[in-house]
Amino acid sequence: VILGAGFDCRALRLKELAGLPVFEVDRAPMVAFKNGLLAGAMRGRPIRVAVDFQQDVLEDRLREAGFAPGVKTLFLWEGVTNYLDAKSVGAVFDFAVRAAPSGSRFIFTYIHADAVDGSFPAPGLRKLLGRLRESGEPWTFGFRPEEVPGYLAAKGLRLKADLGAVDYRARYLPGRPEGYEFYRVALAETGSESDAAG
Ligand SMILES: C[S@@+](CC[C@H](N)C(=O)[O-])C[C@H]1O[C@@H](n2cnc3c(N)ncnc32)[C@H](O)[C@@H]1O
């Protein structure tokens, strides 16, 4: 389940996903636009689902689209939490834990909470925030990295990894060490420690 999929085309590119149900979730105008652009590409796959995380019940929309609860699932939520509010972010994690069995995975990105008001020390951040506000897409939500493990545990998720931009750039973009230090990516798993041990 790719949440806030935007122009993500993994579902069409990755042969490992062939034969698996892939749901791409985004706001209705984005879903309609992407369906129009890709009308000829692998008809029927992925299943695009119109959801506004701030207004709709994700669970209802996904079930209507054929999502089967109880099946091990990977949720991917990249570049989206920073546009939402705390209630909508929490509701999505709650849904994932309710819907997916133990051992399902949730990968998401978030910005450091101090980046929302520009107090995070990063060159160019305040200018960037100004541009986002002007374009009508302000950043509205972030986490403090130290609160993420407890936040997820309270939801029923175990944090497996949480990397800042410096770490993931070193790993995947070794020639480009700088930029977006306030941006982070986390991997969590549903179920308790005892589920994992068992
Ligand atoms: C920065 S893009 C990221 C797209 C894609 N995940 C990626 O990493 O390339 C943010 C996406 O979140 C979607 N989005 C923002 N607010 C949303 C909301 N309230 N409900 C559903 N989708 C939302 C936008 O339409 C957009 O496609």
Side-chain angles (χ1 to χ4, degrees):
V1 176
I2 306 178
L3 299 160
F7 291 109
D8 186 326
C9 286
R10 284 181 176 88
L12 301 177
R13 285 190 292 108
L14 299 182
K15 61 179 185 324
E16 293 83 355
L17 294 178
L20 289 175
V22 179
F23 295 86
E24 288 184 354
V25 175
D26 211 300
R27 288 188 289 214
M30 172 54 92
V31 166
F33 187 60
K34 197 169 177 186
N35 277 339
L37 278 180
L38 297 172
M42 291 174 70
R43 203 177 296 261
R45 279 188 39 78
I47 301 158
R48 297 207 174 89
V49 191
V51 175
D52 187 320
F53 298 121
Q54 310 243 90
Q55 291 175 16
D56 300 322
V57 179
L58 174 62
E59 183 163 8
D60 293 349
R61 297 286 92 79
L62 272 174
R63 276 178 185 254
E64 285 158 14
F67 173 82
V71 176
K72 218 173 204 185
T73 301
L74 171 65
F75 296 92
L76 183 61
W77 207 14
E78 278 179 299
V80 190
T81 56
N82 41 308
Y83 296 107
L84 304 179
D85 58 31
K87 189 169 166 228
S88 319
V89 170
V92 170
F93 287 123
D94 288 338
F95 158 68
V97 170
R98 265 197 318 276
S102 182
S104 296
R105 291 191 152 188
F106 202 130
I107 298 170
F108 65 99
T109 65
Y110 68 94
I111 57 168
H112 193 292
D114 289 347
V116 176
D117 65 7
S119 59
F120 189 97
L125 174 61
R126 282 171 190 273
K127 218 168 165 181
L128 171 64
L129 294 177
R131 282 205 305 273
L132 287 164
R133 265 194 307 275
E134 275 163 29
S135 69
E137 298 196 332
W139 284 351
T140 47
F141 179 81
F143 284 114
R144 290 182 189 288
E146 61 274 20
E147 78 188 357
V148 171
Y151 174 91
L152 292 175
K155 297 268 176 215
L157 287 153
R158 279 174 293 120
L159 182 66
K160 308 279 288 179
D162 181 359
L163 298 182
V166 172
D167 308 311
Y168 60 69
R169 280 172 173 268
R171 202 180 283 191
Y172 300 111
L173 299 166
R176 296 163 59 195
E178 284 160 24
Y180 274 55
E181 286 80 8
F182 43 83
Y183 219 92
R184 304 186 66 87
V185 60
L187 163 66
E189 208 167 84
T190 58
S192 63
E193 284 302 336
S194 53
D195 291 336

